[in-house]
Amino acid sequence: MSDEISSPSDVPAVKNRSKNRAIALIAVAAVVLAGGFTATSVAVAQAEAEETLRQCTVALESGAAAAKAATESVADAENALEAVAITALPDTGGWVSANYADRPGAQAIDAVEAVEASEGVAAQEAVDAVPARPSGAERIVAVTDAGAELSKVVIPGECTDRDEAAALAKLATTTTASAAALDETTTMLTEDFAVFQAEETARIAAEIEAARLAAEAEAARLAEEEARRLAAEEAARRQNTNSNGGSNGGSSNNNGGNRPPANSGGTKPGGGGPPGGGQVGGSGGCVVDNGLGGTQPC
């Protein structure tokens, strides 16, 4: 789109009134001289010239206003198109959104009347109709095309007769309407882009929060798993310690049980003596009388 609407000057001006008036009066005088018009005819011709000048003046002023409005509308449209290409989200510290041009549209939603609850039928609230929403790409194309068409308009800066005045007035009217339509389309684009940025900010914030919660859950799972592993190792260590202690104690008792009595192989002092008639011999053995005046082992 061009930067401004084509025009011979920024604000077209009516031709110098005095010059036009002089030309008109000269033309009237020439007619009078050639045809012998009466004073009344001269007055009528002069009035006609004045009316033509008035119509041209109005048309040129309308054209100038239309050219100005169109130039501003095209500039606003170009600024909006540059803005919607930005992916950096405001006030987020560097978050980046998806491309607005990839924003999908939405289908229209028909209105639904409220339904009162009855036997076997649940109550239902009324739903307002929602118009279809164009996609981001469609909105961009709409603004681009409208701006390109408006930038082609050429507003004349001169007017010499009533036909030109009428054509210029009509062009000014259509140009002004086109500028207003472009303004509306541009506004819809910028408003939808603002909604898109808000949705993207919410989406990214939700993703970050979900990632944080997932990281916390994973950390908790790993901590719980580590606690179970340490508890299992501690239980195994205790079981191993108890097993080793019980095995050592049993071996000591068994050895004690296999040890021969301390007095094995002899009679305990103060214990039972030799059989009846026997005595302890000099060698420490048990002997008894053999009935022959001697002794014999017990």
Side-chain angles (χ1 to χ4, degrees):
M1 292 185 289
S2 63
D3 293 336
E4 59 182 7
I5 303 303
S6 300
S7 177
S9 62
D10 291 340
V11 180
V14 182
K15 287 184 175 181
N16 187 280
R17 283 177 174 270
S18 60
K19 182 179 179 180
N20 287 341
R21 185 180 182 84
I23 293 174
L25 294 177
I26 290 172
V28 171
V31 170
V32 171
L33 292 175
F37 278 66
T38 64
T40 301
S41 297
V42 172
V44 171
Q46 184 176 352
E48 289 291 331
E50 292 286 351
E51 177 61 19
T52 298
L53 182 60
R54 186 194 67 78
Q55 292 184 17
C56 280
T57 299
V58 172
L60 287 170
E61 290 176 350
S62 298
K68 183 176 183 295
T71 299
E72 293 175 350
S73 295
V74 170
D76 290 343
E78 290 177 343
N79 291 336
L81 291 173
E82 292 178 1
V84 299
I86 297 174
T87 56
L89 294 171
D91 304 323
T92 58
W95 293 1
V96 178
S97 71
N99 291 321
Y100 175 72
D102 297 331
R103 174 174 169 80
Q107 294 182 347
I109 299 177
D110 296 332
V112 177
E113 295 182 356
V115 176
E116 295 183 357
S118 60
E119 184 177 356
V121 178
Q124 180 176 334
E125 295 183 355
V127 177
D128 295 333
V130 178
R133 188 192 70 221
S135 66
E138 289 172 334
R139 292 188 185 278
I140 290 173
V141 170
V143 172
T144 302
D145 291 349
E149 287 299 317
L150 188 57
S151 65
K152 296 177 183 178
V153 176
V154 177
I155 303 294
E158 294 184 355
C159 177
T160 59
D161 56 46
R162 295 185 184 184
D163 289 341
E164 290 182 356
L168 179 54
K170 182 178 180 179
L171 179 60
T173 299
T174 57
T175 301
T176 301
S178 296
L182 177 58
D183 289 341
E184 183 178 358
T185 304
T186 301
T187 299
M188 294 174 65
L189 172 65
T190 55
E191 288 179 350
D192 189 61
F193 180 64
V195 173
F196 168 75
Q197 285 192 314
E199 291 176 350
E200 283 293 280
T201 300
R203 176 185 65 81
I204 295 175
E207 290 177 354
I208 292 175
E209 179 64 11
R212 184 187 68 80
L213 294 176
E216 290 182 354
E218 179 64 10
R221 186 190 67 80
L222 292 176
E224 184 178 353
E225 186 176 286
E226 179 67 8
R228 287 197 301 267
R229 185 186 66 80
L230 293 175
E233 289 181 355
E234 178 64 15
R237 186 187 65 78
R238 290 180 179 179
Q239 182 178 5
N240 186 48
T241 299
N242 293 337
S243 297
N244 290 338
S247 175
N248 292 336
S251 176
S252 175
N253 292 335
N254 290 337
N255 289 337
N258 294 332
R259 186 183 302 118
N263 294 325
S264 175
T267 304
K268 293 181 181 180
Q279 63 184 3
V280 178
S283 62
C286 176
V287 295
V288 297
D289 186 0
N290 62 2
L292 299 177
T295 60
Q296 63 180 18
C298 296

